[in-house]
Amino acid sequence: MKIDFIIVSGILVILCFIPFILLPFLVNTKRKNLRKKFKEEALSLSLNITFKLIWNTNIAGIDILKKQFLFVQEPDSNFFIHNVDLTKINQVKILPHYDQCNSHNKSVKNLTRVDLEFYEYNTEVPLTVNLFNYAHNYTQDYEIKNAEKLVMELQKYLNTRTILKQTA
């Protein structure tokens, strides 16, 4: 009787710890796939990434010498890849989108999207890179802070044209 109880208890303890062992393993394989894809894209574009920012399902990197921005995102099983030439860009902006909803008679703002807008010199239509979309990824991992950090780093490498005033 005691042996049966010990065996059943042992099996239940093992079953309780299996998710704690398997879930980190599965998450690490997804991150490895994302990093592998990022390396492949950087090699195919012959970029030497000197600044890299990794969060959630995103990897952003900047090649300082060539002034190229590479962004790889894996919201589902497919990858979104964006490559932006920073020599053609003069301004970068963060564009957060919020959704207003009521919870317990209080108005609550929920983050639904975070976009980066790259403005070229003589165009009014920006190039938009989506950093976060609630429809694809439900977990928010400091999305606005990471976007601000990325914009601060990108602004270091933008080409700014000086405007000279004519005198006389």
Side-chain angles (χ1 to χ4, degrees):
M1 180 83 170
K2 283 187 174 183
I3 295 176
D4 294 340
F5 183 71
I6 292 172
I7 292 173
V8 170
S9 297
I11 291 172
L12 288 175
V13 168
I14 290 171
L15 288 176
C16 289
F17 283 108
I18 285 177
F20 294 108
I21 296 168
L22 288 180
L23 285 177
F25 178 73
L26 294 174
V27 170
N28 285 338
T29 57
K30 189 171 183 176
R31 284 203 177 183
K32 283 181 185 178
N33 291 340
L34 183 64
R35 287 181 181 168
K36 183 179 174 183
K37 185 67 173 177
F38 183 79
K39 275 186 180 178
E40 288 174 3
E41 285 299 317
L43 286 175
S44 70
L45 296 170
S46 66
L47 298 178
N48 183 16
I49 303 297
T50 51
F51 174 79
K52 191 187 293 185
L53 184 62
I54 303 170
W55 78 98
N56 220 349
T57 58
N58 305 327
I59 296 181
I62 301 172
D63 184 352
I64 295 172
L65 298 176
K66 293 184 180 178
K67 292 189 178 182
Q68 295 280 326
F69 171 66
L70 179 64
F71 181 73
V72 177
Q73 183 179 43
E74 185 186 14
D76 298 326
S77 60
N78 53 354
F79 292 98
F80 295 125
I81 300 165
H82 299 283
N83 184 24
V84 179
D85 186 11
L86 297 177
T87 58
K88 299 176 183 176
I89 305 296
N90 68 341
Q91 190 177 14
V92 178
K93 290 183 182 178
I94 301 172
L95 190 64
H97 299 276
Y98 292 98
D99 187 24
Q100 201 82 14
C101 66
N102 294 326
S103 176
H104 302 292
N105 296 330
K106 290 184 181 179
S107 181
V108 179
K109 290 171 68 174
N110 291 330
L111 185 66
T112 56
R113 287 178 60 108
V114 177
D115 293 331
L116 275 184
E117 289 186 340
F118 293 93
Y119 291 92
E120 292 185 13
Y121 285 108
N122 294 324
T123 60
E124 293 182 15
V125 179
L127 172 70
T128 304
V129 176
N130 181 263
L131 296 179
F132 172 73
N133 192 347
Y134 187 76
H136 296 292
N137 189 359
Y138 302 116
T139 58
Q140 294 181 21
D141 188 18
Y142 301 106
E143 299 296 330
I144 298 293
K145 281 188 177 182
N146 286 319
E148 288 172 352
K149 189 186 302 183
L150 188 59
V151 166
M152 292 293 290
E153 192 66 29
L154 283 170
Q155 286 178 346
K156 293 179 186 176
Y157 307 110
L158 296 180
N159 281 344
T160 55
R161 293 185 181 176
T162 58
I163 299 172
L164 299 175
K165 293 182 180 178
Q166 290 184 350
T167 55

